Amino acid sequence: MKRRLFTAFSCLLLAFIPAVVNASGAREANTDRRLEIFSWWTAGGEAEGLEAMFSIYRTRYPTVSIINATVAGGAGSNAKAVLATRMQGGTPPDSFQVHAGHELIDSWVVAGKMEPITFIFRDNGWLESFPKGLVDIISYKGEIYSVPVNIHRSNVLWYNKKIFADNHLTPPRTLAEFIGVAESLARRGITPIALGDSGIWASVHLLESVLLGTMGPARYKGLWMATTPWDGPEVRRALKTFAMLLGFVNADHAALSWDGAVQYVIDGKCAMTIMGDWAEGYFKAKGLTPNKEFGWVPSPGTEGSFIALSDSFGLPRGAPDREAAVQWLTISASREGQDAFNPKKGSIPSRTDGDRSLYDEYQKSAMDSYKSDIIVASVTHGAAAAEGWLALIQDTISTFVSDRNVDKAVTSLTKAAAQYTKK
Ligand code: GAL
């Protein structure tokens, strides 16, 4: 009886322990335990998706406070440098967003900065719940090193349905049609393509779609394996097309972020944009419905191919609260976590058993394509090449966007490839 009274009293007491308010305004339990999750998800859709997973964590572990450590800047354009400084300085967060593939393995795992987390998959019986191809690119020497929380598609063209209907246009399926549609929009005084490359990655993102659309999946894969030359006719052709497309983008592209560019499509300031399907999360966060106000097609020339990338979370060595980090990773790997996160994020679950009924029309189409298309890796988002190689590509494209000099770009892209591939 005494014991029961005591329990009731402690519950009452707990109810009055003051809560603190975190940066995002959410109330957290006031305890010493903290789970710091580092990411660059600050825009509409991505922030909501992250919050949906936080909410599961809070319900399960109410005594741990979540620190939502975000550094704004699409594709980690600012976050990655901040993370590198922290990792080098021995002050890692408990877990951080990292792209599956080269970004994870080359940058962090080989350098000995991560703990293997195969046990999370094994202990929960999840070793078979993820596609083998994906497990391969998060593994090193037989151990798994991160939890892939989604699959994103990079090669998508999004368009404003009203502009297309008003101008009797159909979304372009080939690169030639893309230029044709852009020309007719420009003639009518409408800026055809929205680009927000204040982080140069957004231009590289557009280029990867153009490379694939120009040469097809087998030759595109060869770019990363030294079987397709960077100084051959296809890359030249792709760069010429890319230069033409740059002639149709909004004048303020260098001052705009990726979500700013998507907003231009929403506002009717531009007719279309090529962006990964986190754009879908953004459209929805702004209250739009797929296939009502906005439509999509594979980036021109890429039908039948799926440029894939995956956001994942890992366990850095020296995570301040390892136990909380493992709890977070377990939620990220779970069906419940993925089905809370991805419907808002615009991506599809990386698990093969996600609940399809929770996903919208666009996402169902992405699920189908992921099953039937040829999968190739995104270079812009860490899957296809080492970060050092990507940095050299970004430098080249940064210059190319202003000088449009194909020969110069070919020379420097070829040099970059030679540094990172063995013939
Ligand atoms: C990508 C990332 C996506 C999304 C996007 C824009 O690199 O994989 O999840 O966050 O950047 O920031």
Side-chain angles (χ1 to χ4, degrees):
M1 175 65 181
K2 243 192 195 161
R3 199 184 150 83
R4 232 187 295 153
L5 258 181
F6 177 75
T7 315
F9 180 69
S10 350
C11 287
L12 209 70
L13 206 69
L14 272 176
F16 284 96
I17 288 181
V20 290
V21 177
N22 73 9
S24 57
R27 291 175 80 76
E28 310 279 7
N30 192 0
T31 70
D32 286 342
R33 287 196 60 195
R34 306 239 184 286
L35 168 71
E36 186 187 12
I37 302 300
F38 184 95
S39 81
W40 59 83
W41 287 333
T42 55
E46 44 186 37
E48 282 91 342
L50 184 60
E51 182 52 38
M53 278 203 293
F54 284 166
S55 151
I56 297 175
Y57 188 93
R58 282 191 200 103
T59 309
R60 279 197 210 162
Y61 308 104
T63 59
V64 181
S65 303
I66 296 175
I67 302 173
N68 184 11
T70 48
V71 177
S77 41
N78 302 320
K80 286 182 191 174
V82 175
L83 178 68
T85 307
R86 289 190 56 175
M87 293 289 276
Q88 276 149 22
T91 53
D94 293 299
S95 183
F96 61 86
Q97 175 191 357
V98 59
H99 288 123
H102 284 272
E103 188 178 310
L104 165 72
I105 304 296
D106 301 359
S107 303
W108 303 118
V109 176
V110 176
K113 298 283 188 193
M114 308 298 283
E115 269 195 52
I117 53 165
T118 318
F119 69 92
I120 295 179
F121 294 80
R122 202 185 31 237
D123 295 356
N124 290 285
W126 290 338
L127 279 168
E128 308 297 319
S129 307
F130 295 79
K132 183 174 177 310
L134 184 56
V135 174
D136 286 348
I137 65 163
I138 51 168
S139 299
Y140 182 68
K141 295 192 175 163
E143 293 277 6
I144 298 177
Y145 279 90
S146 73
V147 167
V149 75
N150 64 3
I151 305 282
H152 265 305
R153 184 174 196 174
S154 146
N155 58 319
V156 191
L157 180 142
W158 308 95
Y159 63 97
N160 178 312
K161 290 199 77 156
K162 184 171 184 314
I163 295 183
F164 271 68
D166 288 353
N167 292 283
H168 312 288
L169 292 168
T170 45
R173 296 285 177 163
T174 64
L175 285 166
E177 282 178 24
F178 196 12
I179 305 281
V181 167
E183 278 167 352
S184 44
L185 285 160
R187 270 198 302 276
R188 291 168 221 203
I190 301 162
T191 305
I193 303 168
L195 176 65
D197 66 351
S198 60
I200 193 60
W201 69 271
S203 272
V204 180
H205 185 108
L206 171 59
L207 176 65
E208 76 180 21
S209 263
V210 176
L211 285 167
L212 176 64
T214 305
M215 64 185 71
R219 301 290 286 165
Y220 172 88
K221 279 186 195 172
L223 290 172
W224 317 112
M225 292 166 355
T227 52
T228 302
W230 282 85
D231 54 359
E234 297 129 314
V235 173
R236 279 181 184 281
R237 213 159 6 107
L239 284 169
K240 280 183 191 150
T241 306
F242 179 51
M244 286 174 83
L245 294 173
L246 290 173
F248 293 110
V249 305
N250 45 300
D252 62 349
H253 63 93
L256 204 67
S257 57
W258 72 267
D259 45 320
V262 178
Q263 189 63 46
Y264 274 17
V265 176
I266 295 178
D267 296 342
K269 282 192 185 170
C270 293
M272 51 191 166
T273 192
I274 287 183
M275 188 38 64
D277 49 14
W278 43 95
E280 213 256 348
Y282 184 86
F283 282 119
K284 286 193 296 187
K286 296 287 160 176
L288 274 61
T289 306
N291 227 354
K292 200 168 152 216
E293 296 93 349
F294 70 94
W296 65 91
V297 285
S299 298
T302 71
E303 191 135 23
S305 298
F306 188 117
I307 307 186
L309 62 120
S310 171
D311 294 304
S312 74
F313 285 91
L315 181 59
R317 287 193 193 279
D321 193 329
R322 186 182 179 282
E323 188 192 338
V326 170
Q327 292 161 346
W328 165 255
L329 293 169
T330 307
I331 289 171
S332 308
S334 71
R335 187 176 187 235
E336 185 193 356
Q338 299 213 349
D339 279 344
F341 172 74
N342 287 299
K344 296 184 189 303
K345 184 72 169 72
S347 40
I348 58 175
S350 60
R351 290 180 64 108
T352 50
D353 60 356
D355 179 354
R356 190 178 163 95
S357 71
L358 298 172
Y359 293 84
D360 64 34
E361 196 185 337
Y362 163 74
Q363 290 170 310
K364 288 195 176 99
S365 79
M367 287 175 180
D368 295 341
S369 296
Y370 188 66
K371 276 196 203 122
S372 60
D373 285 5
I374 297 172
I375 308 295
V376 299
S378 163
V379 64
T380 319
H381 305 281
E387 282 198 282
W389 188 357
L390 171 59
L392 293 177
I393 296 173
Q394 288 183 335
D395 288 350
T396 307
I397 297 312
S398 187
T399 307
F400 185 79
V401 169
S402 36
D403 73 7
R404 320 254 167 111
N405 184 327
V406 172
D407 289 334
K408 212 166 107 192
V410 163
T411 307
S412 90
L413 290 171
T414 307
K415 225 168 106 192
Q419 271 186 51
Y420 283 89
T421 50
K422 283 180 230 100
K423 295 234 173 189

